[in-house]
Amino acid sequence: LTNTNITDAQEMETTWTILPAIILILIALPSLRILYLTDEINNPSFTIKSIGHQWYWTYEYTDYGGLIFNSYMLPPLFLNPGDLRLLEVDNRVVLPIEAPVRMMITSQDVLHSWTIPTLGLKTDAVPGRLNQTTFTATRPGVYYGQCSEICGANHSFMPIVAELIP
Amino acid sequence: MMLPKAAWSLMLRKGGRGRRGMHSSEGTARGGGKTPPYTNCYAQRHYPMPEEPFCTELNAEQQALKEKEKGSWTLLTHAEKVALYRLQFNETFAEMNRRSNEWKTVMGYVFFFFGFAALVIWWQRVYMFPPKPITLTDEWKAKQLQRMLDMKVNPVQGLASRWDYEKKQWKK
């Protein structure tokens, strides 16, 4: 369609490209500053390493002695009545409440993502890199999450279960 | 040339449509295959002015009319104008844009394929799908729900917030 009423308005087109770009930059720079300002310093009292594999998680508690274990999903045949299918694991991550916890997350092979939505946590597990997330939980209970970065055939079958105890 | 209007119409209509009767006008979009003298059987809304006139082989009366057209148009009678239009164009705009019942055929096919797809899905469900997991039985779901309420999942705005723990029932 070559309607001449809608072609050849270079001045207006330049203006309505440059002006929004400037406005967006003016929004972006303070936003970025605020993003880093809101990063809290909470002096964690507890550090846990979470390592993603295909297709399970490994948790390392190395602060006070060395405890390392794997966390596999429970197949449906192994569930107790009332358990959540595709969400239960054999070994849960046990964490204290009311204490700042630092999770160091990485991966042994491909990208994974360690997440517990109710606690507001999601951090990518990147091979060769240590990502850190901190949180302080206030309510005891069992919290579930699922791997959030496509990592192969059993990506949907490597859940994360955190058991928060007082 | 001063024949009465009806006679003009009759003569030109026979000359036009009489020969046209054999090559029945197929409405819009006859792509290739131009058969003289009626080469422009495709009149389309987006291309309403074809390059060549509809009727290219004119008999004597038609040629005479074309000569008359070269003069002042106010001298043409209504019937002559209509005849000239019919020589130039296959269909009027009203005829070209006429509605058809094609939509009924289309919808018929659509619904037929809906039905066919439904049959395929039903067959798959019966013969191909594996059995449902045990966790989808009512009994399991009830135990699951009880466990979730015991764990107080989402107590602020979600599931547990809608359960009344004193009265042991859902909040009204």
Side-chain angles (χ1 to χ4, degrees):
Chain A
L1 294 169
T2 51
N3 184 356
T4 49
N5 285 338
I6 56 173
T7 56
D8 268 348
Q10 263 82 4
E11 311 81 11
M12 187 155 64
E13 297 222 355
T14 311
T15 309
W16 74 31
T17 305
I18 302 277
L19 198 56
I22 294 175
I23 292 174
L24 285 175
I25 293 176
L26 289 177
I27 295 173
L29 292 176
S31 173
L32 208 52
R33 180 173 156 263
I34 288 176
L35 181 65
Y36 281 97
L37 280 177
T38 52
D39 224 347
E40 293 172 350
I41 310 165
N42 60 350
N43 284 327
S45 49
F46 203 50
T47 301
I48 300 171
K49 292 188 259 306
S50 161
I51 302 162
H53 303 260
Q54 280 179 316
W55 287 279
Y56 59 97
W57 295 94
T58 303
Y59 298 104
E60 296 186 5
Y61 294 62
T62 44
D63 282 348
Y64 310 97
L67 169 64
I68 304 176
F69 58 91
N70 294 336
S71 176
Y72 284 85
M73 183 186 86
L74 281 183
L77 293 172
F78 287 66
L79 292 175
N80 298 317
D83 281 353
L84 301 166
R85 186 177 71 102
L86 305 186
L87 281 177
E88 302 289 349
V89 295
D90 50 4
N91 301 315
R92 296 173 176 167
V93 194
V94 179
L95 300 166
I97 59 169
E98 314 252 334
V101 175
R102 174 197 281 135
M103 295 290 305
M104 306 291 294
I105 299 166
T106 182
S107 163
Q108 195 77 344
D109 35 43
V110 298
L111 291 177
H112 301 274
S113 187
W114 193 88
T115 174
I116 299 179
T118 354
L119 297 175
L121 300 171
K122 185 178 289 180
T123 315
D124 282 356
V126 182
R129 182 186 165 90
L130 276 180
N131 284 329
Q132 173 183 298
T133 185
T134 53
F135 65 97
T136 308
T138 51
R139 250 196 298 274
V142 183
Y143 296 85
Y144 295 90
Q146 291 174 297
C147 175
S148 300
E149 186 68 42
I150 184 85
C151 50
N154 289 344
H155 156 68
S156 323
F157 307 117
M158 47 183 292
I160 298 132
V161 186
E163 189 175 324
L164 266 44
I165 53 175
Chain B
M1 296 305 137
M2 285 294 129
L3 287 178
K5 197 194 297 191
W8 266 118
S9 308
L10 185 61
M11 181 170 7
L12 287 160
R13 207 176 299 132
K14 260 186 66 181
R17 288 179 200 261
R19 259 177 268 161
R20 197 196 303 178
M22 287 187 285
H23 320 269
S24 57
S25 65
E26 282 145 19
T28 60
R30 189 155 46 130
K34 295 186 173 189
T35 62
Y38 305 107
T39 57
N40 296 308
C41 284
Y42 44 94
Q44 286 143 359
R45 280 161 65 187
H46 62 270
Y47 197 65
M49 305 291 189
E51 299 91 13
E52 295 161 1
F54 179 61
C55 182
T56 48
E57 283 178 14
L58 304 173
N59 62 19
E61 291 84 0
Q62 290 168 335
Q63 280 177 351
L65 190 57
K66 278 298 205 184
E67 288 301 318
K68 191 174 178 192
E69 192 192 11
K70 292 179 184 172
S72 170
W73 289 343
T74 53
L75 300 176
L76 295 170
T77 66
H78 179 73
E80 286 171 342
K81 288 179 192 167
V82 170
L84 282 167
Y85 185 93
R86 286 291 172 190
L87 287 178
Q88 187 74 17
F89 298 106
N90 176 17
E91 293 175 314
T92 65
F93 267 70
E95 290 165 3
M96 182 171 72
N97 295 338
R98 68 183 176 280
R99 295 190 293 186
S100 72
N101 283 332
E102 190 189 1
W103 69 273
K104 297 177 188 171
T105 314
V106 170
M107 292 312 287
Y109 278 122
V110 166
F111 291 137
F112 173 78
F113 277 111
F114 281 175
F116 183 70
L119 279 178
V120 169
I121 290 170
W122 169 81
W123 179 87
Q124 280 181 338
R125 212 184 236 208
V126 170
Y127 290 103
M128 275 180 62
F129 284 176
K132 284 189 190 170
I134 190 174
T135 53
L136 291 176
T137 55
D138 285 337
E139 198 185 300
W140 195 289
K141 286 201 281 195
K143 288 206 181 114
Q144 194 170 286
L145 180 59
Q146 182 61 53
R147 180 165 173 255
M148 284 160 73
L149 290 173
D150 291 340
M151 282 200 290
K152 293 208 171 114
V153 296
N154 297 334
V156 179
Q157 280 186 316
L159 188 68
S161 71
R162 293 202 287 267
W163 177 260
D164 193 339
Y165 281 92
E166 277 95 44
K167 295 185 199 156
K168 298 218 183 337
Q169 62 186 9
W170 292 109
K171 286 184 188 166
K172 298 286 185 302

